[in-house]
Amino acid sequence: MKTLDHWLASPWRRSAVAVLVGALPVLAFPGPALWWWAWFALVPWILLARTAPGGRRAAYDGWCGGFGFVLAMHHWLLPNLHVFTFVIAALLGALWVPWGWLVRRTLGGAPSTGRVAAALVVLPSGWLLAELVRSWQGLGGPWGMLGASQWQVAPALRLASVGGVWLLSFLVVAVNVALAVLVAVRRARVPALAGLVATAAATSAAWVWSPRPDPDERAAIAVVQPGVVAGADSADRRFDREEQLTRRLADRDLDLIVWGESSVGFDLDDRPDLARRLAALSRETGADILVNVDARRSDKPGIYKSSVLVGPEGPTGDRYDKMRLVPFGEYVPFRSVLGWATSVGKAAGEDRRQGTEQVVMNVGDGLRIGPMVCFESAFPDMSRSLVADGAEVLVAQSSTSTFQHTWAPEQHASLAALRAAETGRPMVHATLTGVSAVYDANGARIGSWLGTDASASRVYEIPLTHGTTPYVRYGDWTVYAALETLAAWGAAEGVRSVRLRRSGRALPAPPARTAHGSPARPGR
């Protein structure tokens, strides 16, 4: 243990360890998808930050760990953004600076029972603050939220219907804090065990009392996934392939057919021949077709990504223009400053234009769908808003073709399970090249995935539901509770500091405790 303490005394070695332990939670997400790993993957990071020689070093441990987490989560961006991937990881990693400081402040040295009890709610709240800021679309959105690692766990999905993915993140961090205390702070094992019991009780209560979606009728929705189509004239050849796959769906009594993101590479007003072919497909299959147009519009300037509904007579007029664009992939933030990213990677050469409002579309026999495009499925507020506006089925049109042989397609497909469970509505995730997937209103998978090696069309019988989940009704209450917790803890710390100063005593900083167990002199 003394040897380990001496080895970690080097700032560079300690930073390297912080990067490594920060990356550990990524194994809980697809592709490894070791969901159980998330419940203790933060323990090494917490143990490292609590033994930091000072608050400044603990904050730096938070930054290095955040860098490791973001870099590992988005490592599949490296072939496209190159060195800029490290820049993004460093910028976003700074969001965990306060969390690293909070770890040492609440658990450093030999914390009292009260401080450990506070840590069980303060540290998860601090983590949610980092996730909240990172969820801003301009910073890349909420891809890789810790709670999203639980997308295939039925009790966790039930919790998501109560407090969204935010509640899952909170509980996962709380359990990690409790386990870290059990490992390192023997005198405070009682509140740690109480935290574990409370988490189990919350999960059980949600399982028993949270309302379940009530099944109603069924809808037959088909997904068309053309597979990889590259090279010259790829847009025309992709359309031909999608047309062939759609014709196979004739006489299937469908309510809707969904094509993936960028499935049509031309504005339909500029290419009436394509509009006529789509209308013919709609008549042949007896179903409306939701395509996604990625092209320069003829009626306004700029390139848009738009979900367009086509019926037997052609485009119905229902259109949704993508609102939240992928930074660097579809636009370059602060292009005048960061435009150099286009010279070192495959960042967007021209910014796409943003839509202004979400749209609920009527298809089939009055079926109402809520379309989203690409990584908009990562934003829980967008699916919640669509369901509140009456959407019966959520639909995400996506294309992760650029990242075909990475973890990205499976990570993206898994997000739809969370959105379905949160809202109590089934969700269809349709892609160009996989992974395409469909989930019921509980977040359980319907049928099999269309993987990245598939070029096929598939029909899914989807149970429709009615009723409202607590998350749709009350929204992001977990986030507000976390912010109030941090504010209350900060106020209590401020009052304590004032009282100590008035009594003539200095505010004690928690002494660092080495792995061997002896206190070390705190640094500044």
Side-chain angles (χ1 to χ4, degrees), residues 132-196:
L132 176 64
V133 176
R134 186 166 62 96
S135 295
W136 178 48
Q137 179 261 327
L139 291 179
W143 191 289
M145 294 176 68
L146 192 59
S149 64
Q150 305 304 296
W151 64 278
Q152 54 187 326
V153 183
L157 291 171
R158 187 68 57 78
L159 281 170
S161 74
V162 176
V165 69
W166 307 102
L167 180 57
L168 298 184
S169 290
F170 185 96
L171 293 177
V172 169
V173 178
V175 169
N176 275 272
V177 172
L179 293 177
V181 170
L182 289 176
V183 170
V185 189
R186 296 180 181 178
R187 58 182 291 182
R189 286 180 173 175
V190 171
L193 290 172
L196 294 175

Short mmCIF file of all heavy atoms in Angstrom, two decimals, residues 132-196:
data_model
loop_
_atom_site.label_atom_id
_atom_site.label_comp_id
_atom_site.label_asym_id
_atom_site.label_seq_id
_atom_site.Cartn_x
_atom_site.Cartn_y
_atom_site.Cartn_z
N LEU A 132 -26.24 17.15 -16.96
CA LEU A 132 -27.18 18.19 -17.40
C LEU A 132 -26.50 19.18 -18.33
O LEU A 132 -27.03 19.50 -19.41
CB LEU A 132 -27.76 18.92 -16.18
CG LEU A 132 -28.68 20.10 -16.49
CD1 LEU A 132 -29.93 19.63 -17.21
CD2 LEU A 132 -29.03 20.84 -15.21
N VAL A 133 -25.34 19.66 -17.96
CA VAL A 133 -24.63 20.61 -18.80
C VAL A 133 -24.21 19.94 -20.11
O VAL A 133 -24.35 20.52 -21.19
CB VAL A 133 -23.39 21.17 -18.06
CG1 VAL A 133 -22.60 22.10 -18.98
CG2 VAL A 133 -23.82 21.92 -16.79
N ARG A 134 -23.72 18.72 -20.01
CA ARG A 134 -23.29 18.00 -21.22
C ARG A 134 -24.45 17.72 -22.16
O ARG A 134 -24.25 17.53 -23.37
CB ARG A 134 -22.63 16.68 -20.80
CG ARG A 134 -22.00 15.91 -21.93
CD ARG A 134 -21.09 14.83 -21.39
NE ARG A 134 -21.79 13.85 -20.59
CZ ARG A 134 -22.24 12.68 -21.04
NH1 ARG A 134 -22.06 12.36 -22.30
NH2 ARG A 134 -22.84 11.82 -20.25
N SER A 135 -25.68 17.71 -21.64
CA SER A 135 -26.84 17.40 -22.46
C SER A 135 -27.23 18.52 -23.40
O SER A 135 -28.08 18.32 -24.27
CB SER A 135 -28.04 17.05 -21.56
OG SER A 135 -27.79 15.88 -20.83
N TRP A 136 -26.65 19.69 -23.22
CA TRP A 136 -26.91 20.77 -24.16
C TRP A 136 -26.46 20.34 -25.56
O TRP A 136 -25.36 19.82 -25.72
CB TRP A 136 -26.20 22.04 -23.72
CG TRP A 136 -26.39 23.19 -24.65
CD1 TRP A 136 -27.57 23.65 -25.18
CD2 TRP A 136 -25.37 24.05 -25.19
NE1 TRP A 136 -27.33 24.73 -25.99
CE2 TRP A 136 -26.00 25.00 -26.03
CE3 TRP A 136 -23.98 24.11 -25.03
CZ2 TRP A 136 -25.29 25.98 -26.71
CZ3 TRP A 136 -23.27 25.09 -25.71
CH2 TRP A 136 -23.92 26.01 -26.53
N GLN A 137 -27.32 20.56 -26.53
CA GLN A 137 -27.02 20.10 -27.89
C GLN A 137 -25.70 20.64 -28.41
O GLN A 137 -24.96 19.95 -29.11
CB GLN A 137 -28.18 20.51 -28.81
CG GLN A 137 -27.98 20.10 -30.26
CD GLN A 137 -27.47 21.24 -31.11
OE1 GLN A 137 -27.81 22.40 -30.85
NE2 GLN A 137 -26.64 20.94 -32.10
N GLY A 138 -25.35 21.88 -28.06
CA GLY A 138 -24.11 22.48 -28.53
C GLY A 138 -22.87 21.81 -28.00
O GLY A 138 -21.78 21.95 -28.56
N LEU A 139 -23.01 21.03 -26.92
CA LEU A 139 -21.88 20.29 -26.35
C LEU A 139 -21.91 18.82 -26.74
O LEU A 139 -21.14 18.02 -26.21
CB LEU A 139 -21.86 20.43 -24.82
CG LEU A 139 -21.52 21.82 -24.28
CD1 LEU A 139 -21.57 21.84 -22.76
CD2 LEU A 139 -20.15 22.29 -24.76
N GLY A 140 -22.77 18.48 -27.66
CA GLY A 140 -22.80 17.10 -28.13
C GLY A 140 -23.99 16.30 -27.68
O GLY A 140 -24.20 15.18 -28.14
N GLY A 141 -24.79 16.84 -26.75
CA GLY A 141 -25.99 16.14 -26.34
C GLY A 141 -25.75 15.06 -25.31
O GLY A 141 -24.62 14.75 -24.94
N PRO A 142 -26.84 14.43 -24.85
CA PRO A 142 -26.75 13.49 -23.72
C PRO A 142 -26.37 12.07 -24.12
O PRO A 142 -26.91 11.10 -23.59
CB PRO A 142 -28.16 13.54 -23.14
CG PRO A 142 -29.03 13.82 -24.32
CD PRO A 142 -28.23 14.71 -25.23
N TRP A 143 -25.47 11.92 -25.06
CA TRP A 143 -25.01 10.58 -25.45
C TRP A 143 -24.11 10.03 -24.34
O TRP A 143 -23.17 10.69 -23.91
CB TRP A 143 -24.23 10.67 -26.76
CG TRP A 143 -23.92 9.35 -27.39
CD1 TRP A 143 -23.01 8.42 -26.95
CD2 TRP A 143 -24.49 8.80 -28.58
NE1 TRP A 143 -22.98 7.33 -27.80
CE2 TRP A 143 -23.88 7.55 -28.82
CE3 TRP A 143 -25.43 9.27 -29.50
CZ2 TRP A 143 -24.20 6.75 -29.90
CZ3 TRP A 143 -25.76 8.46 -30.58
CH2 TRP A 143 -25.15 7.23 -30.77
N GLY A 144 -24.38 8.82 -23.88
CA GLY A 144 -23.54 8.20 -22.88
C GLY A 144 -23.88 8.60 -21.45
O GLY A 144 -23.01 8.54 -20.58
N MET A 145 -25.13 8.98 -21.19
CA MET A 145 -25.53 9.21 -19.80
C MET A 145 -25.44 7.89 -19.05
O MET A 145 -25.80 6.83 -19.57
CB MET A 145 -26.94 9.78 -19.75
CG MET A 145 -27.04 11.17 -20.35
SD MET A 145 -28.74 11.80 -20.37
CE MET A 145 -29.02 12.02 -18.61
N LEU A 146 -24.94 7.94 -17.82
CA LEU A 146 -24.63 6.71 -17.09
C LEU A 146 -25.85 5.81 -16.96
O LEU A 146 -25.76 4.58 -17.09
CB LEU A 146 -24.07 7.06 -15.71
CG LEU A 146 -23.42 5.92 -14.93
CD1 LEU A 146 -22.27 5.31 -15.70
CD2 LEU A 146 -22.95 6.42 -13.57
N GLY A 147 -27.02 6.40 -16.73
CA GLY A 147 -28.22 5.60 -16.59
C GLY A 147 -28.61 4.87 -17.85
O GLY A 147 -29.31 3.84 -17.79
N ALA A 148 -28.17 5.35 -19.01
CA ALA A 148 -28.52 4.70 -20.27
C ALA A 148 -27.88 3.33 -20.41
O ALA A 148 -28.29 2.54 -21.26
CB ALA A 148 -28.11 5.59 -21.45
N SER A 149 -26.89 3.02 -19.58
CA SER A 149 -26.27 1.69 -19.62
C SER A 149 -27.23 0.60 -19.16
O SER A 149 -26.97 -0.58 -19.38
CB SER A 149 -25.02 1.68 -18.73
OG SER A 149 -25.36 1.89 -17.36
N GLN A 150 -28.36 0.99 -18.56
CA GLN A 150 -29.31 0.02 -18.01
C GLN A 150 -30.48 -0.24 -18.95
O GLN A 150 -31.55 -0.67 -18.52
CB GLN A 150 -29.82 0.51 -16.65
CG GLN A 150 -28.71 0.83 -15.66
CD GLN A 150 -27.80 -0.35 -15.42
OE1 GLN A 150 -28.24 -1.38 -14.90
NE2 GLN A 150 -26.53 -0.23 -15.78
N TRP A 151 -30.29 -0.01 -20.23
CA TRP A 151 -31.37 -0.07 -21.21
C TRP A 151 -32.00 -1.45 -21.36
O TRP A 151 -33.13 -1.58 -21.86
CB TRP A 151 -30.85 0.38 -22.57
CG TRP A 151 -29.78 -0.52 -23.14
CD1 TRP A 151 -28.45 -0.50 -22.84
CD2 TRP A 151 -29.97 -1.58 -24.07
NE1 TRP A 151 -27.79 -1.49 -23.53
CE2 TRP A 151 -28.71 -2.17 -24.30
CE3 TRP A 151 -31.08 -2.09 -24.75
CZ2 TRP A 151 -28.53 -3.24 -25.17
CZ3 TRP A 151 -30.90 -3.16 -25.62
CH2 TRP A 151 -29.64 -3.71 -25.82
N GLN A 152 -31.33 -2.51 -20.94
CA GLN A 152 -31.88 -3.85 -21.09
C GLN A 152 -32.31 -4.48 -19.78
O GLN A 152 -32.57 -5.69 -19.72
CB GLN A 152 -30.86 -4.74 -21.79
CG GLN A 152 -29.49 -4.78 -21.11
CD GLN A 152 -28.46 -5.53 -21.95
OE1 GLN A 152 -28.79 -6.50 -22.62
NE2 GLN A 152 -27.22 -5.09 -21.91
N VAL A 153 -32.39 -3.68 -18.71
CA VAL A 153 -32.74 -4.18 -17.37
C VAL A 153 -34.16 -3.75 -17.05
O VAL A 153 -34.44 -2.55 -16.89
CB VAL A 153 -31.75 -3.65 -16.31
CG1 VAL A 153 -32.07 -4.24 -14.95
CG2 VAL A 153 -30.31 -3.97 -16.71
N ALA A 154 -35.06 -4.71 -16.94
CA ALA A 154 -36.49 -4.39 -16.78
C ALA A 154 -36.79 -3.51 -15.56
O ALA A 154 -37.53 -2.53 -15.68
CB ALA A 154 -37.30 -5.69 -16.73
N PRO A 155 -36.26 -3.81 -14.35
CA PRO A 155 -36.55 -2.92 -13.21
C PRO A 155 -36.03 -1.50 -13.44
O PRO A 155 -36.67 -0.53 -13.02
CB PRO A 155 -35.81 -3.60 -12.05
CG PRO A 155 -35.69 -5.02 -12.45
CD PRO A 155 -35.49 -5.00 -13.93
N ALA A 156 -34.87 -1.37 -14.09
CA ALA A 156 -34.34 -0.04 -14.37
C ALA A 156 -35.24 0.71 -15.35
O ALA A 156 -35.47 1.92 -15.21
CB ALA A 156 -32.92 -0.14 -14.93
N LEU A 157 -35.75 0.02 -16.36
CA LEU A 157 -36.65 0.66 -17.31
C LEU A 157 -37.93 1.13 -16.63
O LEU A 157 -38.50 2.16 -16.99
CB LEU A 157 -36.97 -0.30 -18.46
CG LEU A 157 -35.78 -0.61 -19.38
CD1 LEU A 157 -36.15 -1.73 -20.35
CD2 LEU A 157 -35.36 0.63 -20.15
N ARG A 158 -38.39 0.36 -15.65
CA ARG A 158 -39.57 0.80 -14.89
C ARG A 158 -39.25 2.07 -14.11
O ARG A 158 -40.08 2.99 -14.03
CB ARG A 158 -40.00 -0.32 -13.93
CG ARG A 158 -41.31 -0.06 -13.22
CD ARG A 158 -42.50 -0.08 -14.16
NE ARG A 158 -42.60 -1.33 -14.88
CZ ARG A 158 -43.09 -2.47 -14.38
NH1 ARG A 158 -43.51 -2.50 -13.13
NH2 ARG A 158 -43.17 -3.55 -15.10
N LEU A 159 -38.06 2.16 -13.55
CA LEU A 159 -37.64 3.39 -12.88
C LEU A 159 -37.57 4.56 -13.86
O LEU A 159 -37.89 5.70 -13.52
CB LEU A 159 -36.28 3.20 -12.21
CG LEU A 159 -36.25 2.45 -10.88
CD1 LEU A 159 -34.82 2.14 -10.49
CD2 LEU A 159 -36.92 3.27 -9.79
N ALA A 160 -37.15 4.30 -15.09
CA ALA A 160 -37.07 5.36 -16.09
C ALA A 160 -38.44 5.94 -16.37
O ALA A 160 -38.56 7.14 -16.67
CB ALA A 160 -36.46 4.81 -17.38
N SER A 161 -39.50 5.14 -16.26
CA SER A 161 -40.85 5.66 -16.47
C SER A 161 -41.27 6.63 -15.37
O SER A 161 -42.20 7.41 -15.54
CB SER A 161 -41.86 4.51 -16.57
OG SER A 161 -42.11 3.94 -15.29
N VAL A 162 -40.56 6.58 -14.24
CA VAL A 162 -40.87 7.46 -13.11
C VAL A 162 -40.03 8.74 -13.16
O VAL A 162 -40.57 9.85 -13.00
CB VAL A 162 -40.62 6.72 -11.77
CG1 VAL A 162 -40.84 7.66 -10.59
CG2 VAL A 162 -41.52 5.50 -11.67
N GLY A 163 -38.73 8.60 -13.37
CA GLY A 163 -37.86 9.77 -13.33
C GLY A 163 -36.93 9.91 -14.51
O GLY A 163 -35.99 10.71 -14.46
N GLY A 164 -37.18 9.16 -15.56
CA GLY A 164 -36.34 9.26 -16.74
C GLY A 164 -34.96 8.66 -16.52
O GLY A 164 -34.65 8.10 -15.46
N VAL A 165 -34.13 8.79 -17.52
CA VAL A 165 -32.75 8.28 -17.42
C VAL A 165 -31.99 8.99 -16.32
O VAL A 165 -31.03 8.45 -15.75
CB VAL A 165 -32.04 8.44 -18.78
CG1 VAL A 165 -31.79 9.90 -19.10
CG2 VAL A 165 -30.74 7.65 -18.83
N TRP A 166 -32.42 10.21 -15.95
CA TRP A 166 -31.79 10.95 -14.86
C TRP A 166 -31.84 10.18 -13.54
O TRP A 166 -30.86 10.14 -12.79
CB TRP A 166 -32.47 12.30 -14.68
CG TRP A 166 -32.59 13.12 -15.91
CD1 TRP A 166 -33.70 13.29 -16.69
CD2 TRP A 166 -31.55 13.90 -16.52
NE1 TRP A 166 -33.42 14.11 -17.74
CE2 TRP A 166 -32.11 14.50 -17.67
CE3 TRP A 166 -30.22 14.12 -16.21
CZ2 TRP A 166 -31.37 15.34 -18.49
CZ3 TRP A 166 -29.48 14.95 -17.03
CH2 TRP A 166 -30.06 15.55 -18.15
N LEU A 167 -33.00 9.58 -13.26
CA LEU A 167 -33.15 8.83 -12.01
C LEU A 167 -32.22 7.62 -12.00
O LEU A 167 -31.63 7.28 -10.97
CB LEU A 167 -34.61 8.40 -11.84
CG LEU A 167 -34.93 7.61 -10.56
CD1 LEU A 167 -34.55 8.40 -9.31
CD2 LEU A 167 -36.41 7.22 -10.54
N LEU A 168 -32.06 6.98 -13.15
CA LEU A 168 -31.16 5.84 -13.22
C LEU A 168 -29.72 6.27 -12.95
O LEU A 168 -28.99 5.61 -12.22
CB LEU A 168 -31.26 5.17 -14.59
CG LEU A 168 -32.61 4.59 -14.98
CD1 LEU A 168 -32.52 3.89 -16.33
CD2 LEU A 168 -33.11 3.62 -13.92
N SER A 169 -29.29 7.37 -13.57
CA SER A 169 -27.93 7.87 -13.32
C SER A 169 -27.73 8.16 -11.85
O SER A 169 -26.69 7.82 -11.27
CB SER A 169 -27.67 9.13 -14.15
OG SER A 169 -27.57 8.84 -15.53
N PHE A 170 -28.70 8.80 -11.24
CA PHE A 170 -28.60 9.16 -9.82
C PHE A 170 -28.39 7.91 -8.97
O PHE A 170 -27.49 7.86 -8.12
CB PHE A 170 -29.86 9.91 -9.37
CG PHE A 170 -29.80 10.42 -7.97
CD1 PHE A 170 -29.43 11.73 -7.71
CD2 PHE A 170 -30.11 9.61 -6.89
CE1 PHE A 170 -29.37 12.22 -6.40
CE2 PHE A 170 -30.06 10.07 -5.59
CZ PHE A 170 -29.68 11.38 -5.35
N LEU A 171 -29.21 6.89 -9.20
CA LEU A 171 -29.13 5.69 -8.37
C LEU A 171 -27.85 4.90 -8.63
O LEU A 171 -27.28 4.33 -7.70
CB LEU A 171 -30.36 4.82 -8.63
CG LEU A 171 -31.69 5.41 -8.15
CD1 LEU A 171 -32.84 4.49 -8.51
CD2 LEU A 171 -31.67 5.67 -6.64
N VAL A 172 -27.40 4.85 -9.88
CA VAL A 172 -26.15 4.14 -10.18
C VAL A 172 -24.99 4.79 -9.44
O VAL A 172 -24.15 4.10 -8.85
CB VAL A 172 -25.90 4.11 -11.70
CG1 VAL A 172 -24.49 3.62 -12.00
CG2 VAL A 172 -26.91 3.21 -12.40
N VAL A 173 -24.91 6.12 -9.46
CA VAL A 173 -23.83 6.81 -8.76
C VAL A 173 -23.96 6.61 -7.26
O VAL A 173 -22.96 6.39 -6.56
CB VAL A 173 -23.82 8.31 -9.11
CG1 VAL A 173 -22.72 9.03 -8.33
CG2 VAL A 173 -23.60 8.51 -10.60
N ALA A 174 -25.19 6.67 -6.72
CA ALA A 174 -25.39 6.48 -5.28
C ALA A 174 -24.89 5.11 -4.83
O ALA A 174 -24.25 4.99 -3.77
CB ALA A 174 -26.86 6.66 -4.94
N VAL A 175 -25.16 4.08 -5.62
CA VAL A 175 -24.69 2.74 -5.26
C VAL A 175 -23.17 2.69 -5.31
O VAL A 175 -22.53 2.09 -4.42
CB VAL A 175 -25.31 1.70 -6.21
CG1 VAL A 175 -24.63 0.34 -6.05
CG2 VAL A 175 -26.81 1.56 -5.94
N ASN A 176 -22.56 3.30 -6.30
CA ASN A 176 -21.09 3.35 -6.37
C ASN A 176 -20.50 4.05 -5.16
O ASN A 176 -19.47 3.61 -4.63
CB ASN A 176 -20.66 4.05 -7.66
CG ASN A 176 -20.60 3.13 -8.86
OD1 ASN A 176 -19.58 2.49 -9.12
ND2 ASN A 176 -21.70 3.04 -9.57
N VAL A 177 -21.12 5.14 -4.73
CA VAL A 177 -20.63 5.86 -3.55
C VAL A 177 -20.72 4.95 -2.32
O VAL A 177 -19.78 4.87 -1.51
CB VAL A 177 -21.43 7.16 -3.33
CG1 VAL A 177 -21.05 7.81 -2.00
CG2 VAL A 177 -21.18 8.13 -4.48
N ALA A 178 -21.85 4.28 -2.17
CA ALA A 178 -22.03 3.40 -1.02
C ALA A 178 -20.98 2.28 -1.01
O ALA A 178 -20.41 1.95 0.03
CB ALA A 178 -23.44 2.81 -1.03
N LEU A 179 -20.71 1.71 -2.16
CA LEU A 179 -19.71 0.64 -2.23
C LEU A 179 -18.31 1.16 -1.93
O LEU A 179 -17.51 0.49 -1.26
CB LEU A 179 -19.74 0.00 -3.62
CG LEU A 179 -21.01 -0.80 -3.96
CD1 LEU A 179 -20.94 -1.32 -5.39
CD2 LEU A 179 -21.20 -1.96 -2.97
N ALA A 180 -18.00 2.38 -2.40
CA ALA A 180 -16.69 2.97 -2.09
C ALA A 180 -16.53 3.19 -0.60
O ALA A 180 -15.45 2.96 -0.04
CB ALA A 180 -16.53 4.29 -2.85
N VAL A 181 -17.61 3.59 0.05
CA VAL A 181 -17.56 3.78 1.51
C VAL A 181 -17.35 2.44 2.22
O VAL A 181 -16.56 2.33 3.17
CB VAL A 181 -18.84 4.47 2.00
CG1 VAL A 181 -18.91 4.46 3.53
CG2 VAL A 181 -18.91 5.90 1.48
N LEU A 182 -18.05 1.42 1.77
CA LEU A 182 -17.88 0.11 2.38
C LEU A 182 -16.44 -0.40 2.25
O LEU A 182 -15.92 -1.07 3.14
CB LEU A 182 -18.84 -0.90 1.72
CG LEU A 182 -20.32 -0.73 2.03
CD1 LEU A 182 -21.15 -1.73 1.23
CD2 LEU A 182 -20.59 -0.91 3.53
N VAL A 183 -15.78 -0.04 1.14
CA VAL A 183 -14.41 -0.46 0.92
C VAL A 183 -13.42 0.34 1.77
O VAL A 183 -12.48 -0.23 2.35
CB VAL A 183 -14.05 -0.33 -0.57
CG1 VAL A 183 -12.54 -0.51 -0.79
CG2 VAL A 183 -14.83 -1.34 -1.39
N ALA A 184 -13.63 1.65 1.88
CA ALA A 184 -12.58 2.52 2.41
C ALA A 184 -12.89 3.18 3.75
O ALA A 184 -11.98 3.66 4.41
CB ALA A 184 -12.27 3.62 1.38
N VAL A 185 -14.15 3.24 4.16
CA VAL A 185 -14.50 3.97 5.39
C VAL A 185 -15.30 3.03 6.29
O VAL A 185 -16.53 3.04 6.29
CB VAL A 185 -15.32 5.25 5.07
CG1 VAL A 185 -15.48 6.09 6.34
CG2 VAL A 185 -14.66 6.06 3.97
N ARG A 186 -14.59 2.24 7.05
CA ARG A 186 -15.26 1.20 7.84
C ARG A 186 -16.20 1.79 8.88
O ARG A 186 -17.26 1.22 9.15
CB ARG A 186 -14.19 0.34 8.52
CG ARG A 186 -13.31 -0.43 7.55
CD ARG A 186 -12.27 -1.26 8.29
NE ARG A 186 -11.40 -1.97 7.34
CZ ARG A 186 -10.38 -2.72 7.70
NH1 ARG A 186 -10.10 -2.89 9.01
NH2 ARG A 186 -9.65 -3.32 6.78
N ARG A 187 -15.85 2.92 9.44
CA ARG A 187 -16.65 3.48 10.53
C ARG A 187 -17.99 4.00 10.05
O ARG A 187 -18.88 4.29 10.85
CB ARG A 187 -15.89 4.61 11.22
CG ARG A 187 -15.49 5.73 10.28
CD ARG A 187 -14.69 6.80 10.98
NE ARG A 187 -15.49 7.56 11.92
CZ ARG A 187 -15.04 8.57 12.64
NH1 ARG A 187 -13.74 8.90 12.56
NH2 ARG A 187 -15.81 9.23 13.45
N ALA A 188 -18.15 4.16 8.73
CA ALA A 188 -19.39 4.73 8.19
C ALA A 188 -20.15 3.72 7.34
O ALA A 188 -20.85 4.08 6.39
CB ALA A 188 -19.06 5.98 7.37
N ARG A 189 -20.04 2.46 7.69
CA ARG A 189 -20.70 1.44 6.88
C ARG A 189 -22.22 1.46 7.03
O ARG A 189 -22.94 1.05 6.13
CB ARG A 189 -20.16 0.07 7.24
CG ARG A 189 -18.75 -0.17 6.71
CD ARG A 189 -18.22 -1.53 7.08
NE ARG A 189 -16.94 -1.77 6.42
CZ ARG A 189 -16.18 -2.84 6.63
NH1 ARG A 189 -16.58 -3.77 7.49
NH2 ARG A 189 -15.04 -2.99 5.99
N VAL A 190 -22.71 1.96 8.16
CA VAL A 190 -24.16 1.97 8.38
C VAL A 190 -24.88 2.85 7.36
O VAL A 190 -25.83 2.39 6.71
CB VAL A 190 -24.50 2.40 9.83
CG1 VAL A 190 -26.01 2.61 9.98
CG2 VAL A 190 -24.02 1.35 10.82
N PRO A 191 -24.48 4.12 7.18
CA PRO A 191 -25.17 4.90 6.14
C PRO A 191 -24.95 4.35 4.74
O PRO A 191 -25.83 4.48 3.88
CB PRO A 191 -24.56 6.30 6.29
CG PRO A 191 -23.29 6.11 7.04
CD PRO A 191 -23.53 4.94 7.93
N ALA A 192 -23.82 3.72 4.49
CA ALA A 192 -23.59 3.12 3.18
C ALA A 192 -24.57 1.99 2.93
O ALA A 192 -25.18 1.90 1.85
CB ALA A 192 -22.16 2.62 3.07
N LEU A 193 -24.73 1.12 3.92
CA LEU A 193 -25.69 0.04 3.78
C LEU A 193 -27.11 0.59 3.67
O LEU A 193 -27.94 0.04 2.91
CB LEU A 193 -25.58 -0.91 4.98
CG LEU A 193 -24.31 -1.77 5.03
CD1 LEU A 193 -24.23 -2.53 6.36
CD2 LEU A 193 -24.29 -2.76 3.87
N ALA A 194 -27.39 1.66 4.41
CA ALA A 194 -28.72 2.27 4.31
C ALA A 194 -28.97 2.79 2.90
O ALA A 194 -30.09 2.71 2.39
CB ALA A 194 -28.85 3.41 5.33
N GLY A 195 -27.94 3.34 2.27
CA GLY A 195 -28.08 3.82 0.90
C GLY A 195 -28.39 2.69 -0.07
O GLY A 195 -29.23 2.83 -0.97
N LEU A 196 -27.73 1.54 0.11
CA LEU A 196 -28.00 0.39 -0.74
C LEU A 196 -29.42 -0.12 -0.54
O LEU A 196 -30.11 -0.48 -1.51
CB LEU A 196 -26.99 -0.71 -0.46
CG LEU A 196 -25.53 -0.41 -0.82
CD1 LEU A 196 -24.63 -1.55 -0.37
CD2 LEU A 196 -25.38 -0.17 -2.32
#
